[in-house]
């Protein structure tokens, strides 16, 4: 869903970017994902939070950005949500501007590959899921953000 939350922000507001991963307790079908997105978009719009959600093979990666207070409030609700487990904060930082200012919750369906990946191939989603170290996590988050923006512009 597109919106323009960034245009209503004040210059003095401290923005926070938070990226987390989690594992679905049970796989989500398309209808369940659509319902989740409707719920997330309404809540995010009410709080002035923007971001994107990725789901693949039972795992979520979500980017949230907004005021520190609202992101923390939303994250507390997300951590308490019984539909997923193993919530891991991958990135938690202050930012000067939003990356997803047009989306209350952008979403792109991702497919799990059926065949083994070639030797030396990196999988950005897996890099984020595993969160091996800060450098790999930051690079993977940047790559997934770029991938999402390119796909959404089509």
């Amino acid at each position: 869903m597109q919106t323009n939350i960034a245009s209503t922000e004040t210059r003095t507001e401290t923005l926070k970017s938070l990226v987390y991963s989690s594992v679905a307790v049970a796989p989500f079908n398309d209808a369940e994902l659509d319902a989740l997105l409707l719920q997330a978009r309404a809540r995010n719009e009410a709080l002035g939070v923007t971001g994107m959600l990725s789901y693949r093979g039972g795992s979520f990666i979500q980017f949230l950005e907004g005021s520190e207070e609202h992101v923390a409030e939303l994250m507390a609700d997300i951590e308490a949500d019984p539909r997923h487990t193993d919530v891991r904060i991958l990135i938690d930082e202050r930012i000067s501007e939003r990356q997803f200012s047009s989306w209350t919750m952008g979403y792109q369906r991702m497919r799990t590959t059926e065949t083994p990946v070639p030797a030396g191939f990196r999988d950005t989603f897996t890099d984020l899921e595993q969160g091996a170290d800060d450098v790999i996590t930051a690079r993977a988050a940047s790559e997934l953000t770029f991938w999402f923006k390119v796909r959404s512009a089509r």
Side-chain angles (χ1 to χ4, degrees):
M1 173 178 216
Q2 294 204 351
T3 188
N4 198 357
I5 290 175
S7 65
T8 63
E9 291 173 355
T10 64
R11 291 275 181 209
T12 59
E13 183 176 33
T14 301
L15 292 175
K16 179 179 202 165
S17 176
L18 188 141
V19 181
Y20 77 88
S21 66
S22 67
V23 177
V25 172
F28 277 61
N29 63 34
D30 287 346
E32 291 167 326
L33 283 169
D34 289 344
L36 175 69
L37 287 166
L38 283 173
Q39 176 188 12
R41 287 171 175 155
R43 178 80 191 277
N44 289 1
E45 186 168 16
L47 292 174
V49 172
T50 56
M52 75 154 211
L53 176 68
S54 297
Y55 176 80
R56 184 182 80 178
S59 294
F60 291 99
I61 294 178
Q62 185 168 14
F63 291 65
L64 301 170
E65 52 192 19
S67 73
E68 290 183 290
E69 175 187 349
H70 290 145
V71 169
E73 178 183 336
L74 189 56
M75 198 60 217
D77 290 346
I78 288 168
E79 288 176 320
D81 189 323
R83 295 174 290 186
H84 63 154
T85 187
D86 298 328
V87 177
R88 290 182 30 231
I89 305 297
L90 304 173
I91 298 173
D92 185 354
E93 63 189 5
R94 288 184 173 183
I95 55 173
S96 58
E97 64 182 279
R98 296 174 188 256
Q99 295 186 74
F100 304 102
S101 60
S102 297
W103 295 288
T104 52
M105 186 48 57
Y107 177 73
Q108 286 284 335
R109 284 181 166 81
M110 301 178 83
R111 293 180 301 201
T112 305
T113 57
E114 300 292 323
T115 58
V117 296
F121 179 82
R122 278 191 34 263
D123 181 329
T124 299
F125 196 94
T126 301
D127 285 351
L128 277 171
E129 276 183 308
Q130 294 174 351
D133 65 42
D134 291 346
V135 172
I136 290 173
T137 299
R139 182 191 64 221
S142 178
E143 290 170 354
L144 189 57
T145 300
F146 179 74
W147 175 88
F148 175 81
K149 288 180 178 182
V150 168
R151 302 271 304 196
S152 296
R154 289 184 188 170

